[in-house]
Amino acid sequence: MAVQFMFGVPVPVTTPNPKPTPEADNGIWSLYVGDLDPKVTEADLVDKFRLIGPIASVRLCRDSFTGDSLRYAYVNFFTLLDASTALWFLNHKELKGKPIRIMWSQRYPLARKTGIANVFVKNLHPSFTSAQLQTMFSTFGKILSCKVAAENGKTKGFGFVQYDSEQSAMAARNALHGTLVKGKKIYVSKFVKKSARTVTPGEAMKASLQGQNKNLFIARAEQKEIANCHMEKLKAESLPLKNSTHPVHYSSFQSLGKDLIKQRKHSNTGNQSFVGNPLRASKMKTTLSKSHYSSAESKC
């Protein structure tokens, strides 16, 4: 098996099995053109693609209510040769300063929707483009679609490669996963839809700890609120009452303060009877309220 170097990475050269060409719809060969700038018009597309050959038609898809561009279109040619040439030479080229993405129009996009033969690539260098991604992965088979995710002109460091067969996708994963590209070790795996992903034990533990920290913060805030509330009561009731011959006793409030201090120390130890259980904290607050200041006439 021959080997060539691409971006400093040894890549085996394989000869994919020939695949049948896309079927023409009534003698018209259709290309999907995506990732368009919102300002691109039908006239812009005609000017871009007519240099390849005669165009049968161009349809820019728009919102049915607002009329705004949906940022993708279909360009139809009379011959397979012209359509293939446009796909080869214009894919990932810029139109109004933004690279466009071209692929054969799929009347039955089941493979794309189910993730079959779709590869997910992450940890890409910020300067890595969709064109470079396609060049690197095209060695392993016929690519239907290739894209590096970007936002506001900046790449997000990950992308997707859709092959025409699962065998090509597996060959690309096995050969390129863990290789260094522009000084970064890339991660290549089978694409899995978000709805079908499973949570790993590590991710579950991380989420659990985050939830416990959040509940602990809420419980401590409730403690602080209770203490501040009754400190205000203590200050207000410490004034001498007119025409009263009996001193005011504050033993219940002192006892409450001691219980709150003990409870706070208890929560800091990470005891699961309180930490991460705001419902029990709420019940405890209610119990303390009933036992220590049942004689109070009004709530804070």
Side-chain angles (χ1 to χ4, degrees):
M1 180 182 294
V3 177
Q4 68 177 10
F5 287 85
M6 189 176 302
F7 304 105
V9 179
V11 177
V13 178
T14 60
T15 304
N17 296 327
K19 300 291 181 180
T21 57
E23 295 182 2
D25 188 5
N26 297 324
I28 300 299
W29 303 89
S30 183
L31 295 177
Y32 167 90
V33 186
D35 296 347
L36 297 175
D37 185 272
K39 296 180 181 180
V40 169
T41 64
E42 287 87 345
D44 296 325
L45 292 168
V46 171
D47 291 339
K48 187 77 171 179
F49 284 84
R50 70 179 177 180
L51 300 176
I52 303 298
I55 297 175
S57 62
V58 172
R59 181 167 68 91
L60 176 63
C61 297
R62 298 179 180 273
D63 186 277
S64 57
F65 293 100
T66 64
D68 295 336
S69 170
L70 295 178
R71 302 180 62 183
Y72 67 93
Y74 295 93
V75 179
N76 305 312
F77 288 91
F78 290 107
T79 67
L80 173 61
L81 178 61
D82 289 340
S84 301
T85 304
L87 176 61
W88 179 261
F89 284 101
L90 298 182
N91 194 19
H92 305 303
K93 296 298 189 293
E94 291 189 354
L95 180 58
K96 283 190 178 295
K98 183 174 173 49
I100 61 177
R101 181 167 56 97
I102 307 175
M103 62 188 227
W104 289 109
S105 176
Q106 301 178 31
R107 287 184 294 174
Y108 308 103
L110 179 62
R112 177 172 55 83
K113 291 183 178 180
T114 56
I116 297 175
N118 200 346
V119 176
F120 172 69
V121 188
K122 70 176 183 179
N123 202 34
L124 296 172
H125 192 274
S127 64
F128 211 72
T129 64
S130 297
Q132 292 174 328
L133 187 67
Q134 176 144 354
T135 301
M136 183 169 64
F137 279 82
S138 61
T139 308
F140 303 95
K142 183 178 180 181
I143 294 178
L144 301 180
S145 178
C146 179
K147 178 181 180 179
V148 172
E151 185 176 8
N152 298 326
K154 295 183 179 180
T155 62
K156 295 184 177 181
F158 65 88
F160 306 92
V161 180
Q162 176 78 53
Y163 285 98
D164 66 340
S165 70
E166 186 67 21
Q167 291 76 13
S168 297
M170 291 179 62
R173 292 198 303 269
N174 295 336
L176 296 179
H177 177 67
T179 57
L180 286 175
V181 180
K182 292 190 175 183
K184 294 178 70 70
K185 183 180 291 188
I186 64 173
Y187 175 89
V188 184
S189 69
K190 178 179 176 60
F191 170 74
V192 180
K193 295 177 66 176
K194 188 175 182 180
S195 58
R197 295 173 193 167
T198 57
V199 180
T200 63
E203 293 174 340
M205 177 63 71
K206 183 178 179 180
S208 176
L209 291 175
Q210 289 176 345
Q212 288 186 4
N213 292 336
K214 181 179 179 181
N215 293 336
L216 178 59
F217 174 79
I218 294 174
R220 287 180 175 175
E222 289 180 350
Q223 288 182 356
K224 186 176 180 180
E225 183 180 356
I226 294 171
N228 291 339
C229 176
H230 291 285
M231 284 300 296
E232 293 297 327
K233 274 190 175 184
L234 184 61
K235 292 178 182 178
E237 297 186 16
S238 63
L239 299 176
L241 301 178
K242 292 183 179 180
N243 303 323
S244 176
T245 58
H246 300 282
V248 180
H249 297 282
Y250 307 107
S251 58
S252 60
F253 292 105
Q254 293 174 353
S255 176
L256 169 67
K258 293 179 180 179
D259 288 343
L260 290 175
I261 293 174
K262 290 180 180 179
Q263 187 60 43
R264 185 167 185 176
K265 291 181 178 179
H266 180 64
S267 65
N268 288 335
T269 62
N271 192 306
Q272 293 299 320
S273 64
F274 182 77
V275 177
N277 197 335
L279 178 60
R280 180 165 295 185
S282 177
K283 291 181 179 180
M284 185 172 294
K285 178 182 70 174
T286 305
T287 304
L288 289 173
S289 300
K290 290 181 179 180
S291 62
H292 289 286
Y293 11 98
S294 58
S295 60
E297 295 180 355
S298 60
K299 297 181 179 180
C300 294

